Structures are given as structure tokens and as C-alpha cells.
Amino acid sequence: MEKFLVQCLLLLSVISRTTCFQTEISYKIREYVREHQHSLYARHDPIEEFTLEQPLDHFEPSQKTFKQRYMVNTKYWRKEDGPVFLYIGGEGKLSQADIDYGNIVELAEQYGGLLFAVEHRYYGLSTFEDYLETENLKYLSSQQALADLAEFCVFAQKMYKLTDLNQWIAYGGSYPGNLAAWFRLKYPHLVIGAVASSAPVQAKTDFQDYNNVAAASFASPLVGGSVQCQNNIMKAFAHVDQLIAAKDYKTLEHDFLSCNDISRPNDTWLFVENLANVLDGIVQYNTQASGFNIAYVCQCMTNSSLTPYQYLGYVIRYYLDRVRLRCMNNNYTAYLEIFKNTTQDPTGSSSFRQWTYQTCTQFGYYQTCEKNTSCIYSRIPHDLAYDLDTCLEAYDIPAQDIYEKVAFTNAYYGGKTPKGSKIVFVNGSIDPWHALSVLTNQTATEVAIFINGTSHCANMLPDSPDDLPALREARKQVAAIIGEWLEPSRSTLD
């Protein structure tokens, strides 16, 4: 404990004000987790990369097209009857790592499967000239993305000489988990089943439950949390709010490594939003990367050597350092410009404008606190209003339209009751997104697996000695269900 306290105090004393541009803490955390997983699990399978020319609009004839990137791993494929695992890309650049390791690769190895990974339109390198211009964003939708997958299936069947014995299984996590479930729902003649991990299929504009789950996670002994930890985080944020009320912005800027002045209301809002994003990221990816775990945060927050506010400052600085940020950018004007920026990124890494457009036009998903009595973060007002204003400022989409578009999404896909078949929904209790997913069996073949103590898409990782027994068992359940789906085609071969 003495060594731990010394470490905390050293970081409390080393406070840098070096400028650094940061707009999306959660994005940086996600990339850090991905890098860690790749370094830990990579198999270095031979994976080929190609492109397929796709119509920009599948529903009205047009000459406009774009090149969609896809990847292939044939290492485990038993050609005569091996299934096809379709890894669905989502709100970011696709990587060869997506079909180089993980549970999907273990499934392909077990069943002799062919692996495809298909990048989502408008993300990564699956783009076209001026794709970020507002008038072209209308082609960015889940419906168009599903049609892309349908075209890909037809193309791949011919290119790889697949037969009816090579049954397709859609596979995805988070938003791609939605797409996996919806692909089976809307195109059941192309895929015999789908694995939808951490899939928030219920669109929701004001998503208060995200922070409710985060709060409960910090109180859960199963992952090293406690009620005291939860209460101390709440006390720390209450002190943040007191300093804001007293207009003591300099103290906050110093203690939490702000890159800029936060005295303007918009910058103050972004500041408290970023603080919450750090803790949310730790919950969402609990134990999935070195140092990213609730237990460590609670070890700090329940230590009586310093106040909860002081330890919150330490925790924020510790994780900024982990993701290689020297300070936290809380400039709202710069933040908003990211979503307005139509400059093409030649590396395909940028996804802020695209994904935010999708939330404005289909999903909402805005994680709020202002009217949420269970929230343990700051109570600075106008939380949801800022998210809705981003839609108006960046895409000229008014708030009322967002509510209507979210309602349409649920009507179109069915929300938490999609009424499909041969879909398995996998969720973990520590993952805040499970609040919008399917948690109970809907039919005999539309089933839910709920894992206590696991985080976002944890079941998509390969088996590890450190996994909870329930997580290992969930992967076995998924594999067994897939085996049942494949049995008719295999018995035909016999």
C-alpha cells in the first residue's frame, strides 16, 4: 500500500500544461485497447485484402459507386462444407487483425470456416471523393450497409465457388452486432444465423442507462468495485461542480490537465463530459487492456490518504498518460469543428463526422446525466441539449427530426424485440451498452446469453487464462449454437 501511495503522490505532483489536441477521449481509449489486444493475441495469419465496387445507392438506380474494402482468411477453410464467417465492420477502419485473432477465428478453426471481413461504407478506405460533404452523407445508413453485405455475399459465392453446403454466419460486436442481427433479420436467405455481441439494437435518443450501468459497475464487488467507491466518485464530481459554481476554473484546469481555459459554458460542459468519458471507457473496456480496470480505479478512490476529489484527479491523469495524451482538450469550438470537417483523411482513421451523423439520423445513443438521479458524474445542466445542438450545427438536423428518426429505426428493426430467428445476443453486465440489447430469449432460436462480470464485446476475444468461468462458458455456448445451425448442411453432406 505504501508503494501504491507513493505512485499516486508522484503523479499528483507532476502536472504538465503542454498543449495537445484531443476531441474524443473514448476514441483514444478504444484505440489503446485495440493496440494492446493486437500485441497480445495476434496469430499473423496470411490475410489477403481486396476491394469490391458497390453502388452508392442500392435502392434507386444511379451510376455512382464506391470501392468497398474486404479481407479474406482461408487458413482454416474446409472447402467442401466449411461455413463462411462474415465479420462485419462498423464505425471505424477495418484491420487485418479483425480476422487474425479472436473468438471468430477460433470458431473458424473449430468448424473449418472461411473468414471474410467487410469494411463499412464511409469508414476506413471504403470511401469516395467528397464522401464527407453533407449532401453525400444521405447514403450513409444501416440500410445501405446491409445492402452492401448482401451484394458482397452474392459476389463472394461466385468468386470463391461456394455451394449451399458453405453456410454463412454473420458476426459483429457493438454497432456491427446490430448489423449482424439485422442482416439475419432482413436477409435470412443469405445467412443461416448471426452472433450479435454487445449489440444496442434499441435506438434511444436520451440514453441515461449508460451511466446507470457505469455507476452500478463501480459498486460491483465482482469486478473490484464497492459502494464506497461509487459514493466517492460521486463526492469527487460533486466537488468538481462546487468549483465550477465558485468559478474556480484555474484549479480544475490544473488538477485535470486541461489544455485550455474552461471558463466559457460550452468549454465547461466539454470538460465534465471528458472527465466522465475517461471513467466510462474504463468501465466499457474493463480488464481488456493493461491497467484498464474498475478494480484499480476503486483502489484509488477508496484510499483514505487523499480526498475523493484528489484521487479523481490522479485517476484522470493516470489514464491520460496511458493513452499517450499530455493534456485534455476541452475547447468546444474545436470539438464542434471536428464534426463539421469535410476534409478527407487519406489514412482512413477519422470517423467522428460519419459516426455522429449516424447517431443524428438513426440511433441517438446520447449518454446523459442531467435528469438521472443514479448518475455519479457531474450535474452540469443542458447535457442532452449539447448533443442535439451538434446535429444541428454539423448537419442541419433539428432535434425533433432526431427523435423521429430514432423512432423509425426501432419500428424498422424491432428494437429489443426483433422477432427473428437463429440469432444469439451476447452481453456482459459491466458493459453499459447491454441496457439497449436483447437480454432474454425471444424465441426458441433467438436467444440471449448474459455474462455477469464482463465488459463490452469481451466474448469476441480469444480464450485467456484470466477469463471468468462464465465468459469461457459463454463462448462454448455460442460455438454449440453455431454447431446446431450447421448440422443440417453437414448431415446432407454425409
Side-chain angles (χ1 to χ4, degrees):
M1 180 58 69
E2 182 179 350
K3 181 179 179 182
F4 167 77
L5 178 58
V6 169
Q7 180 189 26
C8 289
L9 290 172
L10 281 173
L11 269 163
L12 280 167
S13 66
V14 181
I15 299 180
S16 168
R17 292 300 302 268
T18 307
T19 58
C20 162
F21 189 71
Q22 165 60 24
T23 60
E24 189 61 39
I25 292 289
S26 56
Y27 171 80
K28 294 291 290 186
I29 290 174
R30 184 181 69 179
E31 291 308 298
Y32 173 84
V33 171
R34 284 173 62 91
E35 288 174 13
H36 174 84
Q37 292 171 353
H38 182 67
S39 65
L40 193 63
Y41 300 122
R43 293 190 178 200
H44 304 293
D45 284 348
I47 296 171
E48 296 181 288
E49 182 177 319
F50 306 96
T51 60
L52 169 65
E53 191 165 7
Q54 289 272 22
L56 188 57
D57 188 349
H58 288 278
F59 308 113
E60 292 188 13
S62 170
Q63 299 300 314
K64 295 180 179 180
T65 63
F66 74 99
K67 292 188 181 298
Q68 185 167 40
R69 198 162 63 115
Y70 70 94
M71 297 169 188
V72 189
N73 184 344
T74 61
K75 181 177 179 179
Y76 311 100
W77 187 27
R78 186 175 59 249
K79 293 186 178 181
E80 64 273 17
D81 69 333
V84 182
F85 290 96
L86 177 62
Y87 183 96
I88 299 173
E91 66 278 26
K93 185 178 181 180
L94 203 66
S95 166
Q96 291 190 4
D98 292 320
I99 51 172
D100 178 54
Y101 64 86
N103 177 246
I104 192 172
V105 177
E106 292 177 341
L107 290 170
E109 188 173 22
Q110 179 177 349
Y111 289 110
L114 172 62
L115 286 160
F116 288 120
V118 179
E119 192 168 65
H120 196 295
R121 59 170 50 208
Y122 283 74
Y123 294 99
L125 302 177
S126 297
T127 60
F128 57 95
E129 188 176 2
D130 297 329
Y131 72 104
L132 291 176
E133 296 295 335
T134 302
E135 62 267 24
N136 288 327
L137 289 175
K138 63 184 178 181
Y139 303 111
L140 173 56
S141 69
S142 59
Q143 289 86 354
Q144 295 282 3
L146 293 177
D148 288 338
L149 295 174
E151 290 275 1
F152 176 81
C153 287
V154 173
F155 157 79
Q157 285 169 350
K158 296 177 181 178
M159 175 64 73
Y160 290 85
K161 297 181 172 59
L162 303 174
T163 72
D164 290 342
L165 298 176
N166 302 117
Q167 301 283 353
W168 288 69
I169 296 164
Y171 189 102
S174 199
Y175 166 54
N178 292 359
L179 295 176
W182 295 338
F183 194 44
R184 168 62 185 168
L185 187 69
K186 299 297 186 180
Y187 296 86
H189 58 292
L190 295 178
V191 289
I192 66 161
V195 179
S197 299
S198 298
V201 290
Q202 178 79 28
K204 193 166 188 177
T205 306
D206 190 354
F207 183 22
Q208 296 184 30
D209 281 338
Y210 187 101
N211 287 318
N212 290 344
V213 176
S217 299
F218 281 118
S220 172
L222 186 60
V223 291
S226 66
V227 173
Q228 183 187 357
C229 176
Q230 182 193 69
N231 288 340
N232 283 358
I233 292 173
M234 188 180 296
K235 289 177 183 177
F237 274 97
H239 190 74
V240 168
D241 287 354
Q242 289 171 11
L243 291 173
I244 291 172
K247 302 186 184 304
D248 190 357
Y249 302 111
K250 291 299 180 183
T251 296
L252 293 167
E253 293 160 17
H254 176 274
D255 291 347
F256 295 99
L257 296 184
S258 179
C259 302
N260 56 282
D261 169 71
I262 61 168
S263 61
R264 292 178 295 275
N266 287 354
D267 297 337
T268 305
W269 170 81
L270 185 57
F271 164 71
V272 295
E273 188 80 358
N274 278 330
L275 295 186
N277 280 345
V278 174
L279 295 184
D280 284 342
I282 294 163
V283 172
Q284 184 164 315
Y285 298 108
N286 183 51
T287 74
Q288 292 190 31
S290 176
F292 268 75
N293 57 78
I294 292 167
Y296 182 74
V297 172
C298 287
Q299 185 182 9
C300 277
M301 295 305 301
T302 56
N303 191 312
S304 60
S305 301
L306 298 171
T307 67
Y309 171 81
Q310 288 172 317
Y311 270 122
L312 179 63
Y314 160 70
V315 166
I316 298 299
R317 291 192 295 278
Y318 175 80
Y319 284 102
L320 288 178
D321 182 68
R322 277 274 173 176
V323 299
R324 298 181 291 276
L325 287 174
R326 299 294 298 277
C327 62
M328 185 163 56
N329 192 293
N330 300 305
N331 186 308
Y332 181 78
T333 300
Y335 167 83
L336 197 58
E337 285 303 315
I338 287 292
F339 307 110
K340 295 180 179 180
N341 184 16
T342 60
T343 303
Q344 298 190 39
D345 176 8
T347 70
S349 299
S350 177
S351 60
F352 296 116
R353 180 164 169 79
Q354 303 98 295
W355 177 242
T356 303
Y357 174 80
Q358 286 197 263
T359 67
C360 294
T361 55
Q362 289 202 287
F363 308 124
Y365 293 157
Y366 305 122
Q367 301 148 25
T368 63
C369 259
E370 59 178 340
K371 298 177 182 178
N372 186 350
T373 57
S374 298
C375 184
I376 60 177
Y377 302 142
S378 172
R379 297 309 178 94
I380 296 298
H382 311 304
D383 196 351
L384 180 61
Y386 277 93
D387 290 310
L388 300 181
D389 282 348
T390 300
C391 296
L392 183 63
E393 292 283 344
Y395 316 103
D396 198 28
I397 300 173
Q400 184 56 40
D401 285 8
I402 300 167
Y403 284 100
E404 291 174 0
K405 292 172 186 295
V406 166
F408 173 78
T409 296
N410 290 327
Y412 187 79
Y413 292 118
K416 289 186 179 183
T417 55
K419 303 299 182 185
S421 65
K422 293 185 178 178
I423 305 171
V424 55
F425 293 92
V426 189
N427 287 280
S429 65
I430 303 302
D431 176 20
W433 292 101
H434 85 250
L436 297 180
S437 193
V438 177
L439 304 180
T440 58
N441 293 353
Q442 300 299 298
T443 66
T445 64
E446 192 177 55
V447 300
I449 298 174
F450 191 73
I451 317 165
N452 281 322
T454 60
S455 53
H456 192 61
C457 297
N459 65 291
M460 296 177 69
L461 295 173
D463 276 337
S464 167
D466 298 328
D467 288 341
L468 291 172
L471 177 55
R472 286 175 165 271
E473 182 58 31
R475 294 194 188 105
K476 290 179 182 178
Q477 285 181 262
V478 170
I481 290 169
I482 290 174
E484 293 173 3
W485 294 342
L486 296 175
E487 191 57 37
S489 66
R490 291 172 181 270
S491 62
T492 301
L493 184 65
D494 295 338

